[in-house]
Amino acid sequence: MVSRKETPGEVRERLRQAELKNNPSGAFGDGVNRAEYGNLADLTSGLGWKGTGVLILLLIVGYVIYKLWS
């Protein structure tokens, strides 16, 4: 059997998911705080570098189109 060590990011995400499952009221409070203040790490955590690049590119293109029409 090949055992693979978890990276610190994977450990952190696994612990975060376990906490969300075990403490739903705390998860609700965290969600409210994230919605109020924003959290780029949660937005891009599952995308990887290519997805993050595409997201940034879409934001820039959207801004340019907005500025051209207004």
Side-chain angles (χ1 to χ4, degrees), residues 1-5:
M1 272 177 28
V2 177
S3 66
R4 181 178 159 271
K5 289 183 89 175

Side-chain angles (χ1 to χ4, degrees), residues 8-69:
E10 291 172 338
V11 171
R12 193 169 34 251
E13 181 64 24
R14 182 175 48 80
L15 291 174
R16 186 177 76 84
Q17 291 296 328
E19 177 64 25
L20 290 174
K21 187 186 292 184
N22 294 333
N23 189 1
S25 61
F28 177 74
D30 288 344
V32 169
N33 289 338
R34 279 194 199 105
E36 187 173 334
Y37 300 113
N39 190 346
L40 186 61
D42 284 339
L43 176 65
T44 61
S45 65
L47 294 177
W49 69 271
K50 289 180 184 176
T52 304
V54 168
L55 179 65
I56 292 170
L57 184 64
L58 287 174
L59 289 172
I60 292 171
V61 168
Y63 180 75
V64 168
I65 291 172
Y66 170 77
K67 281 300 194 180
L68 288 174
W69 284 356

